[in-house]
Amino acid sequence: MAEIKTKEEVEKIRAAGKILAKVLKEVSIAAEEGVSGKDLDKLAHDLIIKAGAEPAFLGYQPGGAARPFPATLCLSINDCIVHGVPGSRRLKQGDVVKLDLGVRYKGYCADAAVTVVIDPGSDEARKLIKATEDALEEAIKVARPGNTFGDIGYAISKTASKRGFKVLKELTGHGIGKNVHEEPTVFNEGEPGRGRMIKAGMVLAIEPMFAIGTREIKQLHDDGYATVDGSLSAHSEHTIFVGEDETEILTL
Ligand code: MG
């Protein structure tokens, strides 16, 4: 699908993004001690259907996955970074929980993720989460026509290194539209001014993923990805529209 979206396409992604933002907020509020992944998945599913939309991840098989994703919500706990499958395990104090959700509305998708810590949580976990949130903010600031994907990657990796955290290898953001994953790839590392040019009309899912101890990832048997050393990871993601005059967050 084309990397430059039409006004009509952006309008549909914006509508999907609005629904997604509301659902993700509800799910993150519900993520408390004693609640299971399955409970949160059901909540996300019910709210998306109620809004007249569809879960974009359910049944979706990304490159490298052995099977279609079996749930609405990607729920990845502690060392698990992304693509975790919600199960019967109940959340407990100190868990670092990544909630990643895709919504399709009128044929177009939006994608966003937040990380929450189950109270009380450690200072280090909170610092890690804040670093991915700040990196996302910095990346969105430079996601402007005339800048490059290297600028986005650099904004993210610079934030990680300043705070003493590691950018996880191989995991990236992406273009989004009719499909959850489209061109171009949005790398979480880069050199200022290097890489492809960012163009007005692009819709991008930017998603910094950091860990405390390592850059290396491993794939789990359920297709989730985890840190090789078992250290905590965090993930923040928004879908954005790069306009001529301003960049708009579509999943706020
Ligand atoms: Mg994504």
Side-chain angles (χ1 to χ4, degrees), residues 33-143:
E33 185 184 5
V35 174
S36 76
K38 277 192 172 152
D39 295 337
L40 295 177
D41 186 57
K42 183 175 186 315
L43 175 66
H45 188 268
D46 291 351
L47 290 172
I48 290 169
I49 299 300
K50 210 171 134 191
E54 296 165 55
F57 294 164
L58 182 62
Y60 177 66
Q61 190 166 358
R67 56 174 183 156
F69 192 71
T72 292
L73 178 71
C74 287
L75 183 123
S76 310
I77 303 171
N78 296 334
D79 58 323
C80 186
I81 309 151
V82 280
H83 304 173
V85 177
S88 51
R89 176 195 185 287
R90 294 183 182 282
L91 298 179
K92 45 186 200 221
Q93 290 185 6
D95 277 344
V96 175
V97 186
K98 281 123 277 182
L99 305 164
D100 189 353
L101 199 57
V103 166
R104 180 178 281 109
Y105 184 67
K106 295 189 174 167
Y108 284 82
C109 304
D111 186 1
V114 293
T115 302
V116 297
V117 62
I118 307 304
D119 284 334
S122 67
D123 281 351
E124 198 174 35
R126 289 183 192 279
K127 280 180 190 161
L128 176 68
I129 295 167
K130 181 76 165 63
T132 62
E133 291 168 351
D134 290 348
L136 178 57
E137 199 179 313
E138 292 301 313
I140 292 169
K141 275 187 205 160
V142 298

Side-chain angles (χ1 to χ4, degrees), residues 57 100 111 172-174 180-181 205 207 235 237:
F57 294 164
D100 189 353
D111 186 1
T172 68
H174 48 92
V180 171
H181 292 118
E207 43 184 322
H235 176 205
E237 176 179 22

Side-chain angles (χ1 to χ4, degrees), residues 81 168-171 215-219 225-228:
I81 309 151
L168 289 154
K169 277 186 188 171
E170 295 166 60
L171 302 172
R215 287 168 45 69
E216 307 293 330
I217 62 170
K218 63 179 179 189
Q219 193 164 18
Y225 288 96
T227 56
V228 291

Side-chain angles (χ1 to χ4, degrees), residues 1-6 10 140 142-152 175-176 183-186 194-206 240-248:
M1 171 171 191
E3 290 183 9
I4 306 300
K5 269 58 182 183
T6 65
V10 174
I140 292 169
V142 298
R144 301 290 312 130
N147 285 346
T148 68
F149 283 90
D151 293 320
I152 291 180
I176 183 165
E183 289 298 319
T185 299
V186 184
R194 302 292 292 271
R196 295 189 48 196
M197 298 299 293
I198 301 165
K199 293 181 185 154
M202 284 180 165
V203 176
L204 306 170
I206 302 181
I240 64 154
F241 166 60
V242 181
E244 290 282 359
D245 302 316
E246 61 179 344
T247 294
E248 179 188 349

